[in-house]
Amino acid sequence: MKSICIFEDENYQLLQPLTYFRPSYHLKCGILSLHRKIRRNYPDIRIELNTRSYLRDLIKQNHPTEIVEHVKSEMMLFINGRILADDSLHNVIPLDGPDELYTQKGILIAARVSGSNLDRVSSSLKDVLSINDFPQLPQKEISVRIIDYPWDLVKYNSEELINDFKKLASENHNHISEWN
C-alpha cells in the first residue's frame, strides 16, 4: 500500500502567529487550504498527516477522515505542507519511483521512501520533520512555490482565488465540502 504524509517542517515557526493553533498545511491561500491543494494532485491515495503533538487531538476532531496515527505502508511520499501546490505537483514529485529526496535551496520539499528506509524513518518520526530525519538518499533539486512567511499567503492569494475558482467551477459535481 502506498500513502502520502503531509508534514510540517521546522519553518512552521516563521508562519506564527497563524500556526499557533493549526498546522501550516491548514492555512488557506485562495479558496482551498495548502493541504487540499496537495491532495488534489494525488487523488485516491491515502493521506496521513504529521503534526505537532499538542495539535493532534484537534486535527483528529476536525478532520476525522485524515489519518494522524501512521499506518504501516510499503511506500510513503512525505510532502512538506508549506508547498503551494499547482496542478503539476504530481509530475514534479511523482508518487512512483526510487527512494529520493526533493529539495529546494536546502529545504526538504518531499521524500519518497520505502522498505528499510521507511522503517528507519517511521521508527524515529518526530512532530516536525527536516532533511536530517531521512536517511542518506539521492537528492533532486526542484522548484516549487513554498510559503515561507504569512505575507506570502497574501501575495499569492488573488492569483490562487482565481485558479481555485476555475478548477472548482469546471468540475461537474459539488465540492463545497472540500472548501473547508
Side-chain angles (χ1 to χ4, degrees):
M1 177 186 295
K2 297 177 182 180
S3 62
I4 291 174
C5 177
I6 302 174
F7 69 91
E8 289 189 286
D9 67 359
E10 64 274 1
N11 289 332
Y12 80 89
Q13 296 176 351
L14 298 174
L15 292 165
Q16 289 176 344
L18 301 177
T19 54
Y20 280 139
F21 302 112
R22 73 179 68 209
S24 55
Y25 49 76
H26 280 165
L27 296 174
K28 290 189 178 189
C29 187
I31 297 171
L32 303 172
S33 67
L34 302 177
H35 156 249
R36 295 290 179 208
K37 291 173 189 285
I38 293 169
R39 255 194 104 112
R40 291 173 67 85
N41 274 274
Y42 304 95
D44 304 322
I45 298 295
R46 188 180 77 222
I47 300 289
E48 301 184 19
L49 302 174
N50 194 64
T51 191
R52 291 163 271 152
S53 57
Y54 70 90
L55 293 175
R56 234 172 239 131
D57 289 337
L58 181 65
I59 300 303
K60 285 181 195 177
Q61 179 182 346
N62 293 337
H63 299 276
T65 61
E66 305 293 340
I67 299 169
V68 178
E69 282 88 19
H70 299 286
V71 178
K72 187 75 172 163
S73 296
E74 57 191 50
M75 189 285 300
M76 186 172 287
L77 180 61
F78 290 84
I79 300 178
N80 192 322
R82 293 187 303 118
I83 291 175
L84 183 56
D86 61 16
D87 289 340
S88 68
L89 182 66
H90 64 281
N91 295 322
V92 176
I93 307 170
L95 185 61
D96 295 313
D99 289 7
E100 190 170 26
L101 296 178
Y102 295 87
T103 61
Q104 179 172 296
K105 298 178 184 172
I107 296 172
L108 177 64
I109 302 299
R112 186 185 317 99
V113 292
S114 61
S116 61
N117 288 331
L118 181 57
D119 291 341
R120 271 183 257 136
V121 170
S122 296
S123 67
S124 63
L125 205 57
K126 301 175 190 169
D127 290 355
V128 177
L129 301 180
S130 75
I131 199 165
N132 299 326
D133 295 313
F134 293 88
Q136 294 297 323
L137 296 174
Q139 289 189 27
K140 181 177 182 180
E141 186 75 12
I142 61 171
S143 179
V144 294
R145 274 193 182 167
I146 192 152
I147 302 299
D148 288 315
Y149 301 102
W151 49 85
D152 291 336
L153 296 167
V154 176
K155 177 181 177 182
Y156 299 122
N157 192 57
S158 61
E159 179 183 338
E160 288 299 310
L161 278 170
I162 293 166
N163 292 340
D164 290 348
F165 179 79
K166 286 178 182 177
K167 285 178 219 165
L168 293 171
S170 69
E171 295 173 359
N172 36 346
H173 59 285
N174 188 355
H175 282 282
I176 292 176
S177 64
E178 193 173 323
W179 296 7
N180 294 325

